[in-house]
Structures are given as C-alpha cells and as structure tokens.
Amino acid sequence: MFEIQKKDPSSGARTGIIRTDHGKINTPVFMPVGTAGTVKGVLQRDLKEEVKAGIILCNTYHLYLRPGTGILREAGGLHKFMNWDGALLTDSGGYQVFSLSDNRKLTEEGALFRSHIDGSAHTFTPESVVDIQRIIGADIIMAFDECTPYPCDYDYALRSMALTHGWLDRAVKRFNTTDELYSHRQVLFPIVQGSIYADLRKQSAEYIAEAGMPGNAIGGLSVGEPADLMYEMIEVVNAILPGEKPRYLMGVGTPVNILEAIDRGIDMFDCVIPTRNGRNGMLFTGEGIINIKNSKWANDFTVIDEKGPSDISRSYSKAYLRHLIISGEMLGAQIASLHNLAFYLWLVDEARTNIEKGEYRKWKNRMIVALAQRI
RNA sequence: GGGGAGAUACCAAAGUGGCCAACUGGGGCAGACUGUAAAUCUGCUGUCGAAUGACUUCGUAGGUUCGAAUCCUGCUCUCCCCA
C-alpha cells in the first residue's frame, strides 16, 4: 500500500506513495477535513482542480448521527453519496469522545454518549465503529480510541492508553472478520496515545506497531500542549513506528507544525485550521499569516497571494475578500477556505520537492521564518 | 395658526434625583481557533493613563439641590395630529 520514494539525508523526512483504489497519494500529504461529508464551503470539483487534494477526511461520529448509516448504505457508500472519487479517510469518533466529553461515559465495552443534535443516547464500541466505517466505505478507516485531553495526569493517561489498546485488539478482530461492502479495498490504521509521557508513548507505539496494520497514526497531540512537547512525542513514537509504513499525525496543524513533523518522519496530516480559521479571516501565505479582517487591508487592492498556488489566490484582492468576510458573505468563507487549502497542499508539495532534492532541512528552516510571521 | 410627543455616545435604544462614563443591540477595533457541536467565540470601544485614577459628557443657556442625563425656566431643533 505504501512505498517510500526518497529519504532526506539531512532529516527524518521522506516522500512516498500511498496506493488506494481511489487513486495514488503522494506523501507528505495534507488531507482537508470534511467532517460531515463536505469540506465546508468548498465544492468537490474545486477540491480536485483548485486545491489538488487527493484524499479528504470525514467523520464517523457525525455521519453516523446524520445522515445515518441507512442512507449511506442505500447511497452505496460515502464516495458515491458525496460525489467524491478521490480517496477518503474516516476518523473513528475518538476525537468527539474528547471534544464532546460532557455528553459521554467511557467503559471497557465502549463509549456511551448523547447526540449533540438531539440528546439521544448511543453507544460506540470498537466493533460498531468498524461496522459503521464499513458502511461509510472510506479507503482508510481509523480504530476507535480515546483522545486524551491536555493537561492529563499520568494515571489517567495510562488507563486511557490501556483502554485504547484493548479497543484496538477488538477493532482489528472485527476488521479481519468482516468484508468491504463496496468494490474497493479498505485498510485500518491504529492510533498511538499516551498523552505527553514519553514512556507511555513508547509503550503505545510498540503496541500499535505490533498490530501490523498497513499504516499507523499518532493521536492525542495538538490538544493544547506546547509545540515542543508535541515534537518530542513525535520523535519518541517515530523511533518505534515502522518506517516502511505511513505515519499519520492526527489533527495537525499549523504550517510550522507540519514542517516540523515532516522533518521527524510524519507522512500524513489533517487539520481544520485552513478551513475554520479561513472562515474566521485568517489567511496563510508564503509571506506570513494575514488577518484579513484587520483594517489595514481595507484598501489593499493587491491579490490575496500573488505567488499563490490557486487561481483563486491570484484573482481576488485583499480589500474585496476583507469586505466579503466582514460582511458575513458566504463567498468570503469560500474564497478563504479555498485559498488556505490550496496553500496547505502547495506547502506539502514543496516539502516533497525539497525532500527529493535532499535539501529539506535547509528549505524548512527558511520557510518557517516566513510562515510564522504575522503580516 | 392650535394641540401633542421628543432631543442620551458612531447608529439605534434603555435609564427619569445619588448604585451613571451611562443597560443592551448594531457598527468599529483587536484577539482566539490544531483527528470541526465553530460562517463561531472573547475582549475593548468619551479623553488621558500600563493601572489605581483624573478630567469632560446625555440638544442649548440658566436655575433648584449637599448631589442633575433625570426636577424647573427660556431658547433651538425634530416628529405627529388638527386647521
């Protein structure tokens, strides 16, 4: 499924290809987040043609609640339902166990939770989450885990990790004893936990690697901990996760986070930042970060990003986009999302190019200075 | 010409003797957002000051009072009804 293409001599960075029945994906890759079967504000057509995304992420918890498995099954799976012929990855709902924690109860068996939509009670087990993801039909599906919060005390992190490991065994068993419902292959990725404790992370990485799945994920990071701590955990984990398989750092992150993680051997990313922060007026460019709502852009008629990767970035002025966002116009959110996603995809593409040239470190250090800047 | 209502900060609008530099909403300014309960949320928004605070404000000019956005009088302006 995964093939390493090139390793950067100056860092842990590498390029590779993930093969799915919905296309080849060059890594490092960024996956736009399309929680409810839509990358908010962006047409599938534009995801392909403007953003140049080969894979997007959707969410089991949200799709299970709405539209529900009945409709997804009837539609012939999510690819068909949403008219997306690229690859799909579904998150298991482990993050929702974390972010909607007021409404849930965890047991050895699984998670009992209340719907954020209507308050109705539901149960997720490692098995049912595999079943639901069979129905959704994503190319890559995730094991059900608990994403621990930050801060998280050691004892809780330990118990939670054990729970996630126990759930993994059951998920793998269910996965291995069930079949794809549609005519394409699915793979299951397990998730490393362990909060910010190096010994737990190490233990978890060993356990997860042992499962022998075709790819591995790191969860429970970028939940509020300092970035350096996150990088440290990535190093601990990546020293153990097998190098010949893709490594997916869940939910990360800022452009700088992504470059640092690539440097440490991460291949896959997803994050809501380009879309959510875009809707809220934050734009990423090669020159730095712009808050387009700031009055300084009111009469700046230069384009959003003249070196921008997408036609969109080079078509509309900052003043116009500011006007749209300030006015609450839908088009503002659309343009900002599209631009940011195109930028993120461009960024990982540049990373790939520079890994291939064997100059990743040098390039990264140069980029980070520009990317971290507020303009 | 007669009768009535009103004038509060950028806008709208509360407040009708001390708890008022003045509720609230909008607007403006800034910030947050990392496997999306987010087209969301937070802060500031008279002047000066980092702040305790000081100073100047509720159409306008006077007055009453220990104390006035609030009470009284004149003036100016706006709106409504009748002629």
Side-chain angles (χ1 to χ4, degrees), chain A residues 26-62:
Chain A
N26 292 311
T27 66
V29 66
F30 180 80
M31 306 180 281
V33 176
T35 306
T38 159
V39 175
K40 294 186 196 302
V42 183
L43 290 171
Q44 280 74 335
R45 182 193 67 201
D46 291 339
L47 281 175
K48 274 202 134 157
E49 293 174 11
E50 296 290 334
V51 174
K52 302 198 171 16
I55 177 168
I56 63 173
L57 174 145
C58 296
N59 185 274
T60 302
Y61 167 88
H62 289 279

Side-chain angles (χ1 to χ4, degrees), chain A residues 86-282:
Chain A
L88 283 176
L89 179 150
T90 38
D91 180 31
S92 60
Y95 186 77
Q96 281 61 43
V97 168
F98 153 77
S99 66
L100 303 170
S101 57
D102 292 347
N103 295 319
R104 54 82 167 157
K105 193 179 157 195
L106 295 185
T107 66
E108 186 64 38
E109 174 59 18
L112 216 130
F113 62 89
R114 292 198 166 274
S115 159
H116 70 278
I117 299 164
D118 62 6
S120 54
H122 303 263
T123 306
F124 269 6
T125 65
E127 292 85 4
S128 75
V129 167
V130 167
D131 294 344
I132 296 166
Q133 291 184 99
R134 286 292 196 198
I135 293 170
I136 294 171
D139 302 274
I140 301 172
I141 73 175
M142 303 302 299
F144 191 50
D145 67 332
E146 185 195 3
C147 177
T148 48
Y150 178 83
C152 178
D153 67 60
Y154 187 89
D155 287 348
Y156 189 90
L158 174 63
R159 273 183 286 125
S160 171
M161 182 188 76
L163 189 68
T164 291
H165 291 173
W167 285 357
L168 173 63
D169 296 341
R170 288 162 53 194
V172 169
K173 192 173 170 199
R174 184 60 148 239
F175 182 76
N176 288 336
T177 53
T178 54
D179 292 319
E180 285 89 0
L181 294 177
Y182 315 110
S183 56
H184 59 269
R185 197 164 79 98
Q186 292 186 291
V187 295
L188 174 72
F189 282 17
I191 304 171
V192 174
Q193 289 292 340
S195 188
I196 51 153
Y197 304 103
D199 63 317
L200 295 184
R201 284 285 172 185
K202 185 165 176 287
Q203 207 179 313
S204 186
E206 281 162 359
Y207 196 95
I208 263 58
E210 190 67 26
M213 294 289 108
N216 297 294
I218 306 173
L221 291 176
S222 66
V223 289
E225 78 285 0
D228 286 342
L229 215 44
M230 169 167 78
Y231 301 147
E232 204 183 306
M233 293 302 117
I234 295 169
E235 286 170 22
V236 169
V237 169
N238 278 0
I240 295 161
L241 292 181
E244 72 280 8
K245 293 176 182 177
R247 302 177 181 127
Y248 164 29
L249 179 60
M250 305 185 76
V252 173
T254 66
V256 172
N257 290 161
I258 288 174
L259 296 188
E260 292 292 8
I262 289 173
D263 187 288
R264 291 162 173 80
I266 297 290
D267 308 294
M268 303 167 68
F269 300 89
D270 78 280
C271 191
V272 303
I273 283 180
T275 43
R276 184 196 286 166
N277 291 28
R279 286 196 300 281
N280 294 331
M282 185 182 275

Side-chain angles (χ1 to χ4, degrees), chain A residues 275-284 289-300 304 317-329 332-333 336 340 374-375:
Chain A
T275 43
R276 184 196 286 166
N277 291 28
R279 286 196 300 281
N280 294 331
M282 185 182 275
L283 301 178
F284 297 90
I289 297 166
I290 291 174
N291 182 348
I292 199 68
K293 290 194 282 194
N294 288 172
S295 57
K296 65 202 259 198
W297 307 113
N299 42 28
D300 187 325
I304 295 166
S317 72
K318 297 185 185 81
Y320 179 61
L321 180 56
R322 174 175 194 272
H323 158 67
L324 293 178
I325 298 238
I326 291 239
S327 308
E329 287 291 338
N340 279 347
R374 304 291 297 246
I375 54 177

